[in-house]
Amino acid sequence: MKLSSRPPAGSVKIMGGQLYRGATATSAGALEANPGLLIKNGRIAALGPDALTQAADETLMAENCIVSPGFLDLCCNLREPGNSQKGNMSSETRAAAHGGFTSVCAAPDTSPVNDSGAVTNLIRDIAASRALVRVLPIGAVTRGLKGELLSDMAGLQKAGCVALGNASRGLSNARVLRRCMSYAQTFGLTLMFSPENQALAADGYAHDGLVTTRLGLLGIPEVAETTAVMEMILLAEETGVRLHLSQLSCARSVDMLAEARQRGIQVTADVAMHQLAFTEDALSGFDSRFHVRPPLRSESDRKALVAGVRDGVIDAIVSQHQPHESAAKQAPLAASEPGLSSIEVVLSLGLERVAANELSLPQLLRALTAGPAAVLGQSAASNAGLSAGAVADLCIFNPDQSWSPGPGTLVSAGGNGPVLERSMPGVVCYTLVAGHKAWPSLLP
């Protein structure tokens, strides 16, 4: 049943397991025993002993599970409108719910591009009728994502865009970037940019390192990202805009981000989960699934990105979900389309980092809930933490159970998952959106 057609939520009591209430100002938060959580009318009515004494229409037992705020994805390609051969609003929000996500930011590179209030309203209308989780549109900062003429920022904001960006496309020059930032600052908008100097990246499609040298691939040097990061930070400092750097991939970028924050610049950042789990070695067998942008880099870069999440320098982990039809990945590596169908395995890949002692479980959950919620502010309040009165967007998962991603278990229309037919930790038992079950889904 879709968000728009649901009747008012009944009361639900969640018993047992552990609670993750959310991050605090000084720490990633902590897990605590769950003495009871009561949901009424789509909101958390009581936590603790008060929840035990009240009756409910349904009781969910959460033994051995973690009860967390629903996850928030700052970068998700839902493939609608347009690109129906790759997926649609129904299939990809169902995949999001399977992954424990209750809110996803819809990337602007749809067809047509989301560069006007009319397209934003179209996306919201489709989401209202077909989506299983909340869809938060990201507007295109330039018309047609062409990087030259500014879009109607005020119109996009009024229509419901929570931020603006240029997807993975670059801007034509620094003058356009500076103008974008100045206008966005005027309207109080957050800008999300994937930092890449396109002249330096040129025709590359893999990390410019040992693997590209051995296989004869065209590389993208780290400096293609780091020069763009520095340029954006300096212009953000001058204009005062809220800047969010999307999908960092280099160790040096993390260092520059930390230095900028120490100077008081309003800059946040995220990293795709696959950058924390894989390196350039994934391309050793010419496996086109791992043709992603930015490219998978070295082990030292991966470790620096993990440390950035652990220390809170990087605010959020995203899926960078990009489902593709099989033909898009069957071409030779250079001609294949970049991206992974990844939103259903984000939690499991993160739990593997926890098992490897690279992250604690609260640090992982902070980067999936309170961290990205802080980037968006009030529009993502339901993902920030668990408290009485909050909207009941929850993920209930068992970190000790395992599953095997594959055709029989994945629900995304994309078959280009990063992990197939391998046992992985972490099973999402329930995803609740305003108290309603989005997962397990009622859809066939």
Side-chain angles (χ1 to χ4, degrees), residues 206-217 280-285:
H207 171 59
D208 189 12
L210 295 176
V211 173
T212 53
T213 300
R214 187 170 71 248
L215 300 183
L217 309 178
E280 59 180 332
D281 289 338
L283 281 176
S284 294

Side-chain angles (χ1 to χ4, degrees), residues 386-438:
L386 302 181
S387 60
V391 174
D393 286 1
L394 306 176
C395 172
I396 303 172
F397 67 94
N398 188 326
D400 298 320
Q401 284 187 336
S402 61
W403 68 300
S404 180
T409 55
L410 295 172
V411 299
S412 168
N416 53 313
V419 180
L420 297 173
E421 308 302 346
R422 173 167 73 80
S423 179
M424 301 194 74
V427 172
V428 174
C429 303
Y430 299 102
T431 300
L432 304 182
V433 178
H436 290 279
K437 289 179 189 172

Side-chain angles (χ1 to χ4, degrees), residues 181 229-239 263 265:
M181 289 186 173
V229 168
M230 182 53 67
E231 179 182 70
M232 289 178 181
I233 287 175
L234 290 173
L235 289 175
E237 182 176 27
E238 184 207 49
T239 59
R263 299 207 310 273
I265 301 172

